[in-house]
Amino acid sequence: MRKFGIVFLSFVSCALAGVAPQLTGNTRQYLAGLVRRDTSNPPGNETRAAKYLKEVADKWGIPCELLGDNPNRLNFVARLRGSGKERPLLLMSHTDVVPSDRSQWTVDPFGALTRGGYIYGRGTLDTKGLLAAEMAILVELKRQGIPLKRDIILLAEADEEAGSTGIQWLIQNAWSKIDAEFALNETGSIWDLPSGVRLFQVQTAEKIPTRIVLTARGTAGHASLPVPDNAVVRVAKAVARLADSDQPVRINTTARRYLTELSKLPDYHWLSLELPKLMQPSTAAAAANRIRARDPELDAMIRTAISPTMLSAGQKINVIPSIAKAWVDIRRVPDETREEVLARCRRIVNDPAVEVEPAGGQELPPTEPSSMTTSLYLNMVQVFQKSHPRAVVTPMMIRAATDGSFLRRKGMAVYGVPVFRREGMTNRSHGNDERISLEELDAGAQLLWKIVVKTAAANGSAR
């Protein structure tokens, strides 16, 4: 038995040593293939990407299915079988992307052009780059025939950017096909700090979208005679009051851990001076305001965020309209309810002529943060620490939201895995000329490979 174990370990180690060229080459190829399938949402057409992934899986003999109730918006699910000794690992990403204004791009958003060491295209960052790496990892595991102690499931779901209909359909109709012990998802990030520290931010919690609409009513008439109850003026003042308001400080366990870890770093010495004041109710608001002046992202982690985004009023410039509307995107911290936020907004607006109501649309569930004691989280910590001499790993709460919240509500631990550096992504997801560097794509795929193999391979090791 000992001899067999040595031979087996030697086989796996040798196979892993030669993984980089195949893994990175396939990741680049699959990303280009995914980008060239226009899955802009609306309308979605995610089946284009799902069929492409099925072609890849079929080529390598990886069992897979296209699932859903809309033939144009199907989800892709593939599974590599393990021994069943441990519960499955889920790798997930979404196939839809936000729309692109071609006039604002210097390249075709769906051309997958490689230029200057970058691959350009809508979805390279959000989140077809991660999906390509996940697909390449499944192929590499199959190609090498590496024994697994748990199943590995790859889920590419539809409609993450708008209504989350894909993940909700799967949970309601095909739960057994995606049920897993834990999952790796988008929105983790790597940040190289000026001090030389490489910060690995593992997303374990999310803020919750809570949209509202303000409706102001007033007297209509000819614009040559100003009226005191102009609906446009009323809604503008209401929007300004909301935007200028300071929301209460609410620090959950994830935010507290993140801020504490940051405050230990030389780059955030200033934060160590503010942190004790932030934890005291009497000084929290003033400390949060000072933190916002230095780093708005940190402030967004400890307070509900309010951003007016759309306005609608009138049909002609010389006519005062009787109704004006404003839409406000609110991202609330998980321990606040929608009703609390709505009531506070009404108090801030403080105008009986302005209605403040929910705007409808996508509703994501509030959930507890994913555990930091699972084997997957601990494996990530070990892999990241080995990857850089000054690695610091910390959980974080993102100010945005993902489909992972629906799985967390089912009891699954979901982690936004940090495999791509901010510096290698150049511009923001959803931005014009969205792109990722090929070097960063390669490095991220190899980092994700090590996490997956450490968590799911029968011998639990990778190089």
Side-chain angles (χ1 to χ4, degrees):
M1 181 63 71
R2 183 181 179 187
K3 181 179 179 181
F4 170 79
I6 294 172
V7 171
F8 172 78
L9 179 60
S10 176
F11 164 76
V12 173
S13 298
C14 290
L16 294 174
V19 71
Q22 292 82 2
L23 177 67
T24 57
N26 283 341
T27 299
R28 293 184 181 192
Q29 176 187 338
Y30 301 155
L31 176 55
L34 288 166
V35 167
R36 291 178 182 132
R37 273 74 179 176
D38 181 355
T39 53
S40 299
N41 186 7
N45 291 321
E46 294 93 339
T47 298
R48 295 170 177 170
K51 285 183 175 179
Y52 172 71
L53 293 172
K54 188 175 188 305
E55 290 174 5
V56 174
D58 289 345
K59 174 184 176 181
W60 290 97
I62 298 173
C64 65
E65 298 177 87
L66 303 187
L67 302 169
D69 59 351
N70 184 335
N72 296 319
R73 312 200 70 179
L74 296 177
N75 306 281
F76 170 85
V77 179
R79 182 185 292 254
L80 283 182
R81 293 284 181 182
S83 67
K85 180 180 178 181
E86 298 182 18
R87 294 189 62 217
L89 164 66
L90 177 67
L91 307 178
M92 63 183 294
S93 295
H94 59 88
T95 50
D96 61 322
V97 298
V98 297
S100 306
D101 182 352
R102 178 65 180 85
S103 67
Q104 300 300 311
W105 285 61
T106 63
V107 299
D108 179 359
F110 306 104
L113 173 71
T114 299
R115 184 175 71 184
Y118 288 82
I119 181 167
Y120 286 68
R122 176 59 85 215
T124 50
L125 302 182
D126 187 10
T127 186
K128 290 181 175 180
L130 178 62
L131 177 56
E134 292 171 339
M135 186 74 244
I137 285 169
L138 234 62
V139 167
E140 194 60 25
L141 289 167
K142 177 69 175 181
R143 185 182 74 85
Q144 294 194 39
I146 295 177
L148 304 172
K149 62 185 176 184
R150 63 172 87 236
D151 291 2
I152 299 179
I153 306 168
L154 173 56
L155 164 62
E157 80 269 19
D159 196 32
E160 191 272 349
E161 295 287 1
S164 296
T165 56
I167 193 68
Q168 292 186 79
W169 187 93
L170 288 164
I171 289 172
Q172 294 167 9
N173 299 280
W175 175 243
S176 63
K177 298 180 185 293
I178 62 172
D179 185 17
E181 181 177 353
F182 30 52
L184 293 175
N185 196 16
E186 61 175 323
T187 69
S189 64
I190 304 171
W191 191 9
D192 284 340
L193 302 178
S195 64
V197 168
R198 175 163 289 183
L199 186 64
F200 291 85
Q201 301 169 312
V202 182
Q203 187 262 100
T204 60
E206 308 175 12
K207 296 181 82 173
I208 305 166
T210 308
R211 281 79 184 228
I212 64 173
V213 58
L214 311 181
T215 304
R217 303 182 188 278
T219 300
H222 198 285
S224 63
L225 180 62
V227 296
D229 59 343
N230 186 313
V232 174
V233 174
R234 283 190 180 277
V235 83
K237 289 181 177 179
V239 166
R241 283 194 286 269
L242 280 176
D244 292 341
S245 64
D246 285 335
Q247 300 301 301
V249 175
R250 303 281 286 262
I251 305 175
N252 63 15
T253 55
T254 303
R256 181 177 291 107
R257 173 74 176 267
Y258 182 69
L259 294 172
T260 300
E261 293 300 322
L262 279 190
S263 68
K264 299 175 184 176
L265 304 178
D267 310 83
Y268 285 90
H269 175 70
W270 62 269
L271 182 60
S272 67
L273 304 177
E274 296 290 358
L275 204 53
K277 301 170 187 175
L278 191 65
M279 301 303 173
Q280 296 297 322
S282 61
T283 56
N289 289 344
R290 290 191 294 271
I291 289 172
R292 181 173 58 202
R294 295 286 297 265
D295 192 330
E297 286 199 25
L298 294 183
D299 180 66
M301 191 176 293
I302 59 179
R303 294 198 272 206
T304 289
I306 295 180
S307 296
T309 55
M310 297 191 299
L311 296 168
S312 175
Q315 295 179 321
K316 197 174 181 184
I317 193 170
N318 65 343
V319 178
I320 299 172
S322 60
I323 297 177
K325 291 179 178 286
W327 285 261
V328 182
D329 189 346
I330 298 175
R331 302 301 173 111
R332 75 179 194 264
V333 292
D335 58 349
E336 275 196 318
T337 67
R338 185 179 68 169
E339 290 70 26
E340 286 178 304
V341 171
L342 195 60
R344 187 165 66 246
C345 288
R346 287 172 176 151
R347 289 195 300 271
I348 294 168
V349 168
N350 192 30
D351 186 344
V354 179
E355 298 173 3
V356 181
E357 299 295 337
Q362 187 180 31
E363 286 286 335
L364 299 178
T367 60
E368 291 297 314
S370 296
S371 170
M372 293 181 287
T373 62
T374 65
S375 59
L376 176 56
Y377 187 90
L378 297 176
N379 287 341
M380 282 192 284
V381 171
Q382 292 180 24
V383 168
F384 297 147
Q385 288 177 340
K386 289 182 180 179
S387 72
H388 193 273
R390 298 193 63 189
V392 172
V393 185
T394 181
M396 70 170 296
M397 178 176 67
I398 58 167
R399 61 183 183 275
T402 75
D403 280 353
S405 58
F406 292 98
L407 298 177
R408 285 194 182 100
R409 183 171 61 179
K410 291 284 290 183
M412 189 185 303
V414 182
Y415 304 99
V417 58
V419 292
F420 300 128
R421 294 182 307 123
R422 292 187 185 187
E423 293 79 5
M425 296 188 287
T426 301
N427 66 343
R428 298 171 63 184
S429 61
H430 297 193
N432 300 322
D433 280 357
E434 183 180 347
R435 60 196 181 274
I436 186 170
S437 78
L438 295 173
E439 180 182 0
E440 196 59 39
L441 185 66
D442 295 349
Q446 293 179 66
L447 200 57
L448 184 61
W449 164 263
K450 292 177 182 179
I451 295 167
V452 171
V453 171
K454 189 172 182 63
T455 303
N459 78 318
S461 67
R463 285 200 270 173

